[in-house]
Amino acid sequence: MLKKTKKDLVHDTDNQTGFEEEDQQPEVIYHEHSHRKSVFFGTILAVVLAIGLSMMSGSYTSEGSAEEVVANRISKSTLAGETPFTDETNAGITAKDFEVTVGDSGGDAKMLIWDFNSEDNDEVQILVNGQPLKEKLILANNPAAISIPVPSTVTVKGLKDQGGGISYAVKFPNDKVTYYNVVGMNAGNTYTVRPL
Amino acid sequence: MKKIIKFVWALFFYIFLFPVTILVIVFGPLMTFTDLLDVYKLGAPRLGMGLGVIAFLGFILFLSMKYHSLSWIYRKFPVLLPFFQMCFVSFIVMDLSLTFANLWADRMIIGKTAAIGLSVLTILVGRAFLSYWYYKYPISYKMVR
């Protein structure tokens, strides 16, 4: 018993020298230490989960710098809604048409479209086989989901440019591929969508 | 000298780190929940805050609770300590729930039903954990003064 008290005393003097001052302070509320501990373990859990999830899902950064990923045009690890650039730049890419092969689910496929640099409310029109599916779509950093038939030809037509060109990214979640593209005013990019 | 350093650090902490952290921790769960609803309503994924950022915010919160020189706010308003803890746990739960939603909306690894099931289950488990926690460690003031 006496030994224990001695040990505690030594421990207390140790604490005074270091930053561990909290033990000498009375608790503000009951179970303060427990509440604090839960925050600590929550932080550890979040770190572990963050590392685990990033290994599982990744992001565009696993393919190189923002400049490289956008210049390469096609990315397999971009998460929908990711914005490699925060200002109105696009690695100098030019308008391009793509052929897309998707594993369709019952003749339909999902297409996600978003603004991959600064959100400046550029407007586009989405046409499927020449027929307008969305008369006006304001591009945002948050992706918009569009259901498209497979096979089909999807055209993204530029309606309004708020400066810096209309740059956007299109992702087909069925085959997890993202295409970085730009479109001019009243011009169009086509995506020829074919089933696997 | 040590006291001055502590005071300056506390001042820096309360001016630059703490307000932003608390703002995000308190409103983060709500914002993530609206994002979660959007994902299922629109079928389009939403990027959450990310667990890495949440872990960083949690670390700052933990510092504020651990060190006496930084815990001034809890001595003034003791109820904030369990409140921030509750918000922080909810934030982790909501972000996990959103991750499951994105597994469907963005990556199509799981089906919509499975994603909704996992999202709801995550929130329920988180809620049950908080109920258990406050049953085990009830919030009550200490009458020190």
Side-chain angles (χ1 to χ4, degrees), chain A residues 25-32, chain B residues 78 140-145:
Chain A
Q25 304 298 335
E27 285 192 324
V28 184
I29 54 164
Y30 287 107
H31 314 300
E32 184 190 330
Chain B
S140 48
Y141 286 118
K142 268 191 168 180
M143 293 300 171
V144 275
R145 276 180 280 266

Side-chain angles (χ1 to χ4, degrees), chain B residues 13-137:
Chain B
F13 187 85
Y14 270 106
I15 292 173
F16 293 105
L17 293 176
F18 199 63
V20 184
T21 306
I22 288 317
L23 211 68
V24 179
I25 283 182
V26 171
F27 292 105
L30 283 172
M31 279 154 60
T32 314
F33 186 64
T34 52
D35 276 350
L36 184 71
L37 293 180
D38 275 355
V39 171
Y40 287 119
K41 212 162 55 189
L42 308 172
R46 291 282 179 272
L47 288 177
M49 186 68 72
L51 282 162
V53 177
I54 296 177
F56 178 70
L57 297 177
F59 180 66
I60 292 175
L61 187 66
F62 174 72
L63 286 184
S64 79
M65 290 174 176
K66 184 164 170 72
Y67 294 110
H68 186 254
S69 48
L70 301 178
S71 64
W72 162 81
I73 195 158
Y74 307 118
R75 290 194 294 278
K76 269 278 191 248
F77 310 101
V79 77
L80 287 181
L81 196 144
F83 174 66
F84 290 157
Q85 181 249 14
M86 187 179 74
C87 291
F88 178 62
V89 173
S90 313
F91 202 0
I92 295 177
V93 167
M94 284 298 169
D95 203 84
L96 262 183
S97 188
L98 184 67
T99 306
F100 286 127
N102 281 341
L103 280 186
W104 161 70
D106 186 6
R107 308 188 66 79
M108 287 200 150
I109 293 172
I110 52 175
K112 188 177 184 180
T113 325
I116 293 178
L118 282 171
S119 291
V120 172
L121 189 74
T122 313
I123 294 175
L124 286 182
V125 167
R127 188 63 196 80
F129 168 78
L130 284 176
S131 292
Y132 164 77
W133 188 266
Y134 292 115
Y135 166 74
K136 201 174 170 200
Y137 306 110

Side-chain angles (χ1 to χ4, degrees), chain A residues 58-60 75 77-86 111-119 139-145 168-173 177-180, chain B residues 35 39 43-49 102 105-107:
Chain A
S59 79
Y60 78 87
S75 160
S77 60
T78 300
L79 297 172
E82 273 191 321
T83 47
F85 296 107
T86 44
M111 185 178 111
L112 301 167
I113 180 166
W114 74 97
D115 193 339
F116 70 80
N117 50 29
S118 76
E119 191 177 285
L139 291 171
N141 288 154
N142 278 331
Y168 65 94
V170 161
K171 182 174 184 175
F172 295 88
V177 180
T178 303
Y179 301 88
Y180 291 97
Chain B
D35 276 350
V39 171
R46 291 282 179 272
L47 288 177
M49 186 68 72
N102 281 341
D106 186 6
R107 308 188 66 79

Side-chain angles (χ1 to χ4, degrees), chain A residues 120-194:
Chain A
D120 56 353
N121 301 325
D122 290 336
E123 290 169 15
V124 292
Q125 187 182 33
I126 313 275
L127 303 111
V128 173
N129 297 329
Q131 299 295 315
L133 184 75
K134 288 252 179 203
E135 285 289 354
K136 182 162 115 178
L137 183 88
I138 300 171
L139 291 171
N141 288 154
N142 278 331
I146 297 157
S147 181
I148 52 159
V150 180
S152 66
T153 306
V154 180
T155 310
V156 179
K157 193 176 157 191
L159 284 186
K160 201 180 204 179
D161 179 8
Q162 306 278 22
I166 307 173
S167 30
Y168 65 94
V170 161
K171 182 174 184 175
F172 295 88
N174 295 61
D175 64 346
K176 301 173 186 60
V177 180
T178 303
Y179 301 88
Y180 291 97
N181 215 339
V182 287
V183 64
M185 282 276 287
N186 296 317
N189 304 136
T190 61
Y191 297 83
T192 315
V193 185
R194 290 207 184 91

Side-chain angles (χ1 to χ4, degrees), chain A residues 97-117:
Chain A
D97 297 339
F98 288 97
E99 294 214 352
V100 183
T101 322
V102 295
D104 62 320
S105 38
D108 273 335
K110 187 151 78 171
M111 185 178 111
L112 301 167
I113 180 166
W114 74 97
D115 193 339
F116 70 80
N117 50 29

